[in-house]
Structure formats: C-alpha cells, structure tokens
C-alpha cells in the first residue's frame, strides 16, 4: 500500500469515478451471470477482458506489478473456496457444484479505476458456505454504514469485526481496503478490524474501498508460490465483498452499486 497523503477528489473527479464504478458494477454483473458448474475461471477472465475492451476500458489487474511479486497475469481475480484473494484464472480450474467464488474486477475508464467484487454460489451451496457469504455481505453493509464526515476509519473495522466474530469467523488482517482514484492502490488503508474512535477522520472527497475478507476458520492467510494467491491457513472457506465509496458532505455514495 502507498504511504502517500490522502487525496480529496473534486466533484468533477468523483463524476469520473462514478463512471468507472458504474462500468465495474456492470462488468461484475455480466461475469457473475456466467458462474455455473462446468465453466473454467479462464473463460470468466477471457469474457471479462473482451467485455472491458468493448466498453472502451482496460483491465487494471493485467500486468499489475506493485513491487515484489511478478506481474499479475490475468484481467480479473477469481478466488475459489479457501482462496482469500488474488486467485489467478486458469483453464484447468473448472467450477463445480457447491463451490463459492469471489470475482474481483477493476476496469480503468478515462484514467480512473472502478474496483468491486462479490462472492457467488456455484450451483447449490452448503449451509456453512451460504451463511459465510451472507454474513460477509452484511459485514460490507455494516462497514459502509459507518462512513460519514467526522467519523473515523476505526469505526468501519470495529463494526465488521464485531459482526463477523459473533459467528465465530476470522477477519483477515493481511489485506485491507484502500484509497483509489487515478491510482489503483493509495492512501488511506481501510482495515476490516479495529477500534471505534481510532484512525483518520473521514472528509468529503475521500474515495476508497471497503472489502472485508471473512474466513470460516482462522483469520491468518498464507501465500502460494505464484506470489499472488492468498489462501486460508487452515484450508477453510473464505468470502469477500467489495465496493468503492466516496465520502460526501452528508454521508457516503457507493460508486460501484449496480443500478436497477
């Protein structure tokens, strides 16, 4: 994550972010409709890349290399079952009934990044998987509800952690939400655990993601040899939901909400 100072966006810049966020929501909806047993994660990736180009945008993950790991080799992230985040699509990974899959997309439109993800059921989920996914989505809702001018970053993490841990779930610490705009990842960092009343106060014009990763088991993760794929330390299921948000004068706007 960048240590740069937080950028407060102008209304014109937020309008650009709104366009990018809308495109990201449409892309995620399009790809999510393809999720079913028998499809490969590579097929999802290829359609995402085709759709993104057709809509005048480009895929931020493709070739992304923030430092240590090799460049990310695909256009979206597909994180299945115990994969917490940054799963790499491939033709050999065929989805099967009962899987859960998080699809994370970030198109760049006119230089602005729209970042969103959600977890989908593949066929019929187990009761344990169904509860995990529903709780994780509610964690995102509760985190968003904490955002308004004058409140603090720690309020988000506290709300998410309290709810997730009431089910005995682990809240991932190693990966957090982040500022986003004309740069993919920037300040501020948005942990999904924490203490109320702590951290930077929100100001109108701040734009960032909230993207809780919730595990059925322990919160710790480990990295696979590809340098990107993070999995749960105990092999248990993980789920994630993500929106890009803008702090307004009176509250918060979800930039990646799919319009009815």
């Amino acid at each position: 994550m960048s240590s740069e100072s937080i950028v407060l966006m102008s209304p014109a810049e937020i309008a650009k972010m709104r366009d990018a966020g809308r495109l990201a929501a449409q892309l995620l909806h399009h790809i999510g409709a393809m999720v079913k047993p028998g499809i490969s994660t590579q097929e999802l990736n290829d359609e995402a890349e085709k759709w993104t180009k057709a809509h005048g945008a480009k895929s931020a993950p493709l070739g992304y290399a923030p430092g240590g790991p090799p460049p990310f080799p695909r256009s979206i992230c597909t994180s299945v079952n115990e994969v917490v985040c940054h799963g790499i699509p491939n033709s050999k990974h065929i989805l099967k009934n009962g899987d859960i899959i998080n699809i994370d997309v970030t198109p760049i439109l006119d230089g602005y990044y729209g970042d969103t993800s959600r977890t989908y059921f593949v066929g019929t989920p187990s009761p344990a998987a169904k509860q995990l996914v529903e709780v994780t989505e509610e964690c995102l809702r509760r985190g968003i509800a904490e955002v308004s001018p004058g409140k603090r970053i720690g309020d988000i993490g506290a709300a998410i952690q309290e709810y997730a841990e009431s089910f005995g779930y682990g809240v991932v610490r190693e990966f957090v939400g982040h500022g986003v705009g004309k740069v993919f990842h920037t300040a501020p960092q948005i942990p999904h655990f924490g203490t109320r009343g702590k951290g930077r106060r929100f100001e109108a014009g701040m734009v960032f993601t909230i993207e809780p990763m919730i595990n059925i088991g322990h919160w710790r993760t480990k990295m696979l040899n590809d340098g990107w794929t993070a999995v749960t330390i105990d092999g248990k299921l993980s789920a994630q939901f993500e929106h890009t948000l803008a702090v307004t004068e009176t509250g918060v706007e979800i930039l990646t909400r799919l319009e009815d």
Side-chain angles (χ1 to χ4, degrees):
M1 290 291 178
S2 171
S3 60
E4 298 173 7
S5 60
I6 296 171
V7 173
L8 300 181
M9 290 193 175
S10 68
E13 290 173 316
I14 290 177
K16 289 285 191 180
M17 286 296 295
R18 193 177 292 121
D19 290 341
R22 183 183 302 114
L23 190 73
Q26 293 168 346
L27 169 59
L28 187 61
H29 179 72
H30 178 70
I31 300 305
M34 297 174 61
V35 171
K36 62 182 179 180
I39 197 168
S40 73
T41 54
Q42 184 68 47
E43 289 175 277
L44 300 177
N45 175 86
D46 292 348
E47 178 60 24
E49 178 65 12
K50 177 183 174 183
W51 191 97
T52 299
K53 288 181 177 179
H55 287 78
K58 60 181 181 179
S59 302
L62 184 62
Y64 182 62
F72 194 78
R74 300 291 188 272
S75 298
I76 62 174
C77 299
T78 52
S79 302
V80 181
N81 295 336
E82 77 280 3
V83 178
V84 174
C85 59
H86 305 154
I88 300 173
N90 69 84
S91 58
K92 294 181 180 179
H93 198 148
I94 308 299
L95 298 181
K96 63 183 185 300
N97 185 62
D99 285 344
I100 60 173
I101 178 173
N102 175 270
I103 301 176
D104 193 338
V105 304
T106 311
I108 309 170
L109 182 65
D110 295 333
Y112 290 82
Y113 291 69
D115 194 1
T116 187
S117 83
R118 67 178 297 118
T119 299
Y120 296 91
F121 300 123
V122 183
T124 304
S126 69
K130 185 173 186 293
Q131 178 176 279
L132 172 68
V133 172
E134 290 174 349
V135 168
T136 304
E137 188 169 20
E138 179 62 20
C139 282
L140 176 59
R141 292 192 194 99
R142 291 183 179 223
I144 294 171
E146 296 292 332
V147 181
S148 63
K151 296 201 74 174
R152 294 182 181 270
I153 287 175
D155 299 340
I156 293 175
I160 291 171
Q161 184 176 9
E162 177 182 303
Y163 189 69
E165 291 183 352
S166 73
F167 290 86
Y169 296 153
V171 181
V172 171
R173 266 68 159 175
E174 296 97 329
F175 302 96
V176 298
H178 54 88
V180 62
K182 297 184 77 172
V183 178
F184 198 168
H185 297 95
T186 186
Q189 291 192 0
I190 308 292
H192 305 113
F193 60 97
T195 304
R196 289 188 182 277
K198 300 290 186 181
R200 172 75 179 259
R201 289 188 187 276
F202 298 119
E203 300 176 60
M206 291 173 66
V207 178
F208 53 84
T209 71
I210 301 177
E211 47 186 296
M213 287 150 268
I214 309 298
N215 301 342
I216 279 185
H218 201 281
W219 60 263
R220 289 191 181 277
T221 69
K222 62 181 178 180
M223 189 72 66
L224 298 188
N225 291 335
D226 60 27
W228 280 104
T229 307
V231 300
T232 55
I233 198 78
D234 51 17
K236 295 182 179 179
L237 294 179
S238 182
Q240 179 188 14
F241 285 80
E242 174 184 17
H243 273 310
T244 298
L245 316 164
V247 183
T248 68
E249 296 289 346
T250 57
V252 63
E253 178 183 356
I254 302 173
L255 299 175
T256 47
R257 188 196 299 275
L258 185 68
E259 296 176 347
D260 292 334

